[in-house]
Each structure stands twice: as structure tokens, then as C-alpha cells.
Amino acid sequence: MPTPTTHDGTEPADRTQGEGEPPVCPAGGPMRDPAVRTVAVDGIRLAHRVTGPEDAPPVVLVHGRGENSTTWAEVAADLAADHRVYALDLRGHGLSDRRPGGYGFDAFRDEIGGFLKALGLTGATVVAHSMGAAAAYLLARDEPGLVGRLVLEEPPVFFPLDPPRPAAERPEGPLGFDWEIVPATDAQLNDPDPDWCDRLASITAPTLILAGGLTSHVPQDRLSWLADRIPGARLVTIDAGHLVHIARPDEFLSVVREFGL
């Protein structure tokens, strides 16, 4: 996962708005972006950007730690030509609600599943990066009928970190995400649930794993390990580092399109 950086300081959507209404910006006025919608999942209001034809096949885009749905802008614009694209802000990120004490890979797993169910997106393709990708493959493992296709960009694999990741220092200034996410997920990476590396053969969704090559901080041999344990998974390396979809969007899209999107 990328080292957390300072973002644009966006605050979560107003908690009093009606479900399905556009979120409210921090200044109190309506958001200018008509693509932004909200939906409540387990009492948490999740913002998401929706583009593309209403009757097109659905694709759900899930960001990594410290990011938000806008990280997918270029990818979403391309996919929206022939897909209904839902780019999600996970809890604690972007315009979605904060939930102190409620962060972790398991929480994000359940949240993605709840989002798919709430919007009637069973069978959608899920394209996810880093932290979001790890949550997505846990979901595809635990609820195999929910995800149609799975694209995992640079996901962490749940081997205990050795040496453990030290405590991170919060950057100065406003952040576009809740800093509590960092220590919560770092603790899980240092000492993950052993079950998270088991039962990967239960994933039935056709799976593409995108690796960023040797300039990524993610151990590439672990991505090979993951691909070997998901039935039929395809592993493709694009030498772009951890943020493949940003650094090499054309190559990213070419591989994703070839995968069947």
C-alpha cells in the first residue's frame, strides 16, 4: 500500500441528507459533481461516482489506502464508454462517512459486499487497488457468487511482515481520509488473520492480478504465490511501480480490456 500522503482535505458527506441524494460539500452547499451519489451500508453513508450507460454491464472500482474514487478518473472515463461504472469511496475516505474504531481489511471486505448488494450489483466486475484489492479478494473468497470478474492491482498478501511495519507518523495538515485507517491496517499487515491466506481456491470469479514490477514495494513473488492459489488466475506485470493505473493508464486499460471488460 502506498505511504499515506496529504490529500485535498475533503470532508465526509453531510449525515442528514436523504439516501440517494447528492452529498453536501464541506461548505454546506450541494456538490457540483452530478456523478456523485450516496448509499447507506450498515449505517455508513458511502459516496460513489457513477458514469456510463444505465443498461451497460456494471464495473465497481475500489481504491487503495489514503485514496478515493477520483484516483480512477482516467480509467473510469474509458470504461464508461461501454460499462456502468461505480467508483466507490470506502469508509473513512473521500466523501464517505468516517467510522473511528471500525477500520480494517475485514470491515472493507464486508463494506464492498454490502455496497454490491445495496445497489443490486451482484455479478459485477470488481477492479481494485492495493488495500481495496485485498478486501476484494477476501470478499470473492467468502461470497463467491457476488463477484463476476476480479481485477486485483498490487494487492497485499497476508503473510506477517518481518520485520513488522513501525508506527507511522501522521503527516501535517488536513487529510482526505481518516488517519486511524493507517495504524488499524498496519496492525493487520503485521499480524494478519491466518485464515486470510486460506481457502483462496474458493474464488470462482475469473481473476486478473496486475503486478507493478520491481519498483513496487509489494513483494512480487507474493503476487505469484497468490495467482497460483486462485483457480485460473492470470498474472500480468506492468513495470510501473505500485500505482499502475495512474503511472501507465493506457497499458493498464489494455490489459483489463483484453481480460474481457
Side-chain angles (χ1 to χ4, degrees), residues 12-15 17-23 35-50 60 63 69 86-99 103 107-119:
D14 185 272
R15 274 59 166 184
Q17 67 204 44
E19 183 173 344
E21 296 178 6
V36 177
R37 301 287 184 266
T38 63
V39 64
V41 174
D42 293 332
I44 299 173
R45 194 167 301 278
L46 301 178
H48 53 285
R49 288 172 167 80
V50 184
V60 176
H63 60 79
S69 56
Y86 300 81
L88 171 64
D89 285 350
L90 292 168
R91 65 173 70 186
H93 294 82
L95 293 169
S96 290
D97 283 351
R98 276 48 176 159
R99 181 55 64 92
Y103 300 121
F108 293 125
R109 171 200 61 200
D110 295 346
E111 182 163 275
I112 297 168
F115 180 79
L116 294 174
K117 294 170 186 175
L119 294 182

Side-chain angles (χ1 to χ4, degrees), residues 59-254:
V59 176
V60 176
L61 306 178
V62 186
H63 60 79
R65 188 172 79 177
E67 299 293 336
N68 59 59
S69 56
T70 62
T71 189
W72 297 109
E74 191 165 352
V75 170
D78 183 279
L79 294 178
D82 50 9
H83 289 82
R84 184 71 162 173
V85 179
Y86 300 81
L88 171 64
D89 285 350
L90 292 168
R91 65 173 70 186
H93 294 82
L95 293 169
S96 290
D97 283 351
R98 276 48 176 159
R99 181 55 64 92
Y103 300 121
F105 289 97
D106 45 350
F108 293 125
R109 171 200 61 200
D110 295 346
E111 182 163 275
I112 297 168
F115 180 79
L116 294 174
K117 294 170 186 175
L119 294 182
L121 299 177
T122 296
T125 295
V126 175
V127 179
H129 175 240
S130 194
M131 179 191 76
Y137 76 69
L138 291 178
L139 174 65
R141 183 199 70 165
D142 293 344
E143 298 192 57
L146 196 54
V147 177
R149 285 179 175 266
L150 191 60
V151 178
L152 306 172
E153 178 193 357
E154 285 273 302
V157 180
F158 293 110
F159 293 106
L161 295 182
D162 185 18
R165 184 172 290 180
E169 183 177 349
R170 186 193 187 283
E172 295 183 3
L175 300 175
F177 66 101
D178 189 339
W179 179 254
E180 285 193 24
I181 295 165
V182 174
T185 52
D186 277 354
Q188 290 183 320
L189 290 170
N190 285 338
D191 186 21
D193 185 335
D195 177 65
W196 291 351
C197 275
D198 289 339
R199 298 185 291 109
L200 296 173
S202 298
I203 297 176
T204 59
T207 300
L208 170 66
I209 299 174
L210 283 166
L214 295 180
T215 58
S216 170
H217 70 275
V218 174
Q220 300 296 285
D221 59 338
R222 294 188 180 180
L223 298 182
S224 297
W225 182 93
L226 181 64
D228 287 343
R229 281 154 181 80
I230 297 175
R234 180 185 176 197
L235 175 65
V236 175
T237 298
I238 299 174
D239 290 316
H242 189 56
L243 296 166
V244 180
H245 70 281
I246 292 176
R248 302 276 182 86
D250 291 341
E251 292 177 55
F252 179 92
L253 283 162
S254 177

